[in-house]
Amino acid sequence: MVLRSESTCLIGPTTVATPSGRRVPGPLSLVLSMLLAPAVHALDAVAPPAPEATAPAAAAAPPAQPGPSFRARVEAEHVTAELVGADRVLVPGHTAWFALRLRHEPHWHSYWLNPGDSGQATRLNWQLPEGYSAGAVAWPAPARFDVDGLANFGYADEVLLPVPITVPATARIGDSVPIQLDARWLVCKEICVPGRGSFTLSRVVSKKAAPDPDWNRPIADWRARAPLAAAWSGKATLNGDMVELALQVPANGPVADSLDLFPITPSTLEHARPQFSRERTTLTVLARRSAYYAAPPERLEFVLSSAGGGAWRLSVPFQVASSP
Amino acid sequence: MNIIGRLACALALAGTVAGSASAAVAVGQPAPDFTLTDSTGKAHKLSGFKGKTVVLEWNNPECPFVKKHYGSGNMQKQQREATAGGVVWLSVNSGAAGKQGHMDGAKANAHLASTKSAPSAYLIDADGTVGKAYGARTTPHMYVVDGGGVLRYMGAIDSEASTDQDDIPKSTQYVTQALAELKAGKPVSVPTSEPYGCSVKY
């Protein structure tokens, strides 16, 4: 059975959003798999779009209003958003990783935690049962986009924004737990379109871990793209309208001309790519002070990203040079 | 690296950055003077408003961040309150021809009427000269210039960087705050804030 729907389709007692042209298992296999597996697993396992999946819309199930539960994928303007989980079950006392997966149309991008000169970071708001808690997004190192001379930091093509969810040690085996996410994003090409989606994945509490065959590996891969916390010593010095960063990097550390810098501390550095130079193990970064700089932060936090792969998250003391 | 090397780096960097839309203005410094034509064809010179506080509002009516503040009526309310108190409110559109939000005078007038906007004037800056002189990078992006022509505020319209109208009641309205403080003869308590919005379509 081939379903084609621009918005949502009704499956069994629940509704799910599907991208148009996606092949969906027949109702019987779906019902069976829903009985046998965590509810959304059946949807995660949906085959990729098939070229022949072009049945006219009339052949599709009537579009239904998506219910709040079991909706795991949203087709939004210029981006497809989906909640995915690294594990098929929740293990008491353990951390379960979930991720918001954003697939952008070509040339569209969404934003990192510091969006740069314009734009807005994707925001995740979790609704979890008592005792469960969501950690911070493990933001993958961003890319730089030039928009009419302005700097934007974010992601094109596909990105997974992984988040750890702590399962309480007291979670009861066999319980079905709804993991609910309200996500808001902004996608821009030159123009910008805000989007929003509510997602739910249900997971059963189990003693035994069960990695999700489709998503365990991708989520691990995207977690590995988060900048590593680097313990390199260094300092940032504001001198006039320039900030100089002096960092002691390992001998096999990043090469100056492959680097980019993405500030996390707001209103301190300009977002334009700064100038890098390296002598032996001293990496020097010269950046213009932000026009919105008001007062010295105690520390300057930022991400260094190498074009050859590798990204580091650093926090260095910030000082103002005394006048000569 | 020796001091000459560092200086060379700094100069090279300053050279590369100067061409971008980075702000060339600073709070406490004179605001760059300019003359722009409004949507009715009338020219306005910033220095011509000497003695009056002037608000500059970078505008692109199609940007979702701008829609947040016009859809909710927040921007129009601020325009009316400010102008009723003797402030000059200049909306500026730096959108280049062919890009989102660019408008000629007639379109701008229709937009002002349909949104019940109430700026003192809606200025067309299609070549982006004034936007770049001010380092305007987002819509909205707000500036407050005092009666002596000195910049007193630059940055966001308010404290909640979002496209959601629901966030407005819990936000600090920085321009309203700055105008009230200037009127009371007090220093502006938040003179800069990181602007948020869509990029200006230069």
Side-chain angles (χ1 to χ4, degrees):
Chain A
M1 175 186 165
V2 171
L3 289 179
R4 181 175 161 81
S5 163
E6 289 304 316
S7 54
T8 61
C9 58
L10 185 70
I11 298 174
T14 64
T15 56
V16 293
T18 64
S20 56
R22 223 147 165 51
R23 184 190 285 275
V24 175
L28 183 62
S29 67
L30 247 184
V31 168
L32 280 174
S33 61
M34 287 173 76
L35 288 172
L36 296 170
V40 176
H41 169 63
L43 302 166
D44 289 346
V46 164
E52 73 272 22
T54 52
Q65 200 57 35
S69 53
F70 303 114
R71 186 176 183 169
R73 186 182 296 127
V74 171
E75 290 282 311
E77 281 184 83
H78 312 296
V79 68
T80 300
E82 191 176 0
L83 174 61
V84 295
D87 299 284
R88 291 167 62 184
V89 298
L90 301 171
V91 179
H94 285 234
T95 296
W97 283 85
F98 289 83
L100 178 69
R101 180 190 191 209
L102 295 173
R103 280 178 293 160
H104 308 85
E105 277 178 14
H107 311 298
W108 288 80
H109 63 267
S110 60
Y111 290 88
W112 185 53
L113 87 157
N114 171 5
D117 286 336
S118 62
Q120 184 178 31
T122 298
R123 286 170 296 166
L124 306 183
N125 184 19
W126 299 89
Q127 291 91 44
L128 303 169
E130 209 180 321
Y132 288 74
S133 62
V137 177
W139 294 97
R144 174 183 291 274
F145 301 91
D146 180 87
V147 184
D148 293 327
L150 296 168
N152 278 191
F153 304 151
Y155 312 99
D157 305 319
E158 179 187 34
V159 68
L160 268 66
L161 303 178
V163 174
I165 288 178
T166 305
V167 182
T170 53
R172 207 166 57 191
I173 304 301
D175 275 4
S176 178
V177 176
I179 303 295
Q180 289 177 274
L181 170 67
D182 180 44
R184 286 183 283 177
W185 57 82
L186 184 75
V187 287
C188 300
K189 182 171 152 192
E190 183 177 272
I191 65 166
C192 300
V193 181
R196 160 173 217 162
S198 294
F199 309 84
T200 302
L201 284 182
S202 280
R203 290 292 187 261
V204 171
V205 179
S206 163
K207 269 185 207 163
K208 197 168 174 288
D212 184 279
D214 294 317
W215 292 110
N216 195 274
R217 185 63 189 272
I219 290 175
D221 289 348
W222 280 95
R223 281 174 62 194
R225 291 167 77 155
L228 291 169
W232 307 337
S233 66
K235 62 179 181 184
T237 308
L238 173 65
N239 199 338
D241 61 356
M242 301 297 290
V243 176
E244 183 182 298
L245 283 147
L247 303 168
Q248 297 308 309
V249 300
N252 62 351
V255 185
D257 57 7
S258 75
L259 283 177
D260 203 344
L261 184 146
F262 302 96
I264 295 172
T265 304
S267 304
T268 310
L269 304 184
E270 284 234 321
H271 297 127
R273 183 178 177 268
Q275 179 120 356
F276 296 88
S277 58
R278 187 175 152 178
E279 274 187 19
R280 288 190 289 276
T281 57
T282 301
L283 179 70
T284 305
V285 188
L286 265 177
R288 281 180 80 102
R289 186 193 62 181
S290 166
Y292 296 89
Y293 173 87
E298 256 182 50
R299 300 183 73 83
L300 181 71
E301 202 179 347
F302 57 95
V303 164
L304 278 181
S305 178
S306 167
W312 302 268
R313 186 171 177 143
L314 289 108
S315 170
V316 297
F318 187 92
Q319 61 187 38
V320 180
S322 48
S323 319
Chain B
M1 193 189 300
N2 62 29
I3 189 73
I4 303 290
R6 277 187 195 171
L7 195 63
C9 278
L11 288 174
L13 182 61
T16 56
V17 177
S20 78
S22 66
V25 296
V27 166
Q29 299 294 314
D33 198 14
F34 61 82
T35 301
L36 282 177
T37 302
D38 74 14
S39 55
T40 66
K42 191 179 165 200
H44 298 269
K45 191 172 166 68
L46 178 67
S47 55
F49 297 111
K50 213 163 184 78
K52 289 189 169 184
T53 301
V54 177
V55 173
L56 303 177
E57 170 219 341
W58 258 265
N59 180 270
N60 162 4
E62 292 171 55
C63 161
F65 294 90
V66 173
K67 286 181 177 173
K68 167 192 177 184
H69 293 287
Y70 277 91
S72 62
N74 182 40
M75 193 69 85
Q76 299 93 319
K77 178 168 166 274
Q78 292 194 30
Q79 291 167 345
R80 288 199 166 80
E81 284 174 3
T83 53
V87 170
V88 175
W89 186 295
L90 303 175
S91 302
V92 185
N93 188 324
S94 297
K99 296 209 172 166
Q100 186 200 50
H102 169 80
M103 295 188 294
D104 60 17
K107 270 193 178 157
N109 287 332
H111 158 70
L112 292 172
S114 71
T115 54
K116 298 186 169 63
S117 302
S120 308
Y122 192 97
L123 308 180
I124 311 290
D125 177 42
D127 64 7
T129 309
V130 175
K132 286 175 182 167
Y134 276 79
R137 66 189 208 200
T138 59
T139 53
H141 193 155
M142 311 297 295
Y143 299 80
V144 178
V145 181
D146 72 14
V150 173
L151 188 65
R152 293 297 175 196
Y153 175 77
M154 61 184 224
I157 172 87
D158 67 15
S159 56
E160 291 290 325
S162 79
T163 55
D164 301 324
Q165 292 185 18
D166 296 351
D167 289 335
I168 294 174
K170 64 184 180 207
S171 309
T172 302
Q173 297 300 322
Y174 291 134
V175 173
T176 303
Q177 182 171 285
L179 291 176
E181 288 166 345
L182 281 174
K183 195 167 190 177
K186 293 182 192 162
V188 175
S189 55
V190 181
T192 59
S193 71
E194 195 76 25
Y196 73 87
C198 307
S199 60
V200 174
K201 313 304 181 207
Y202 288 116

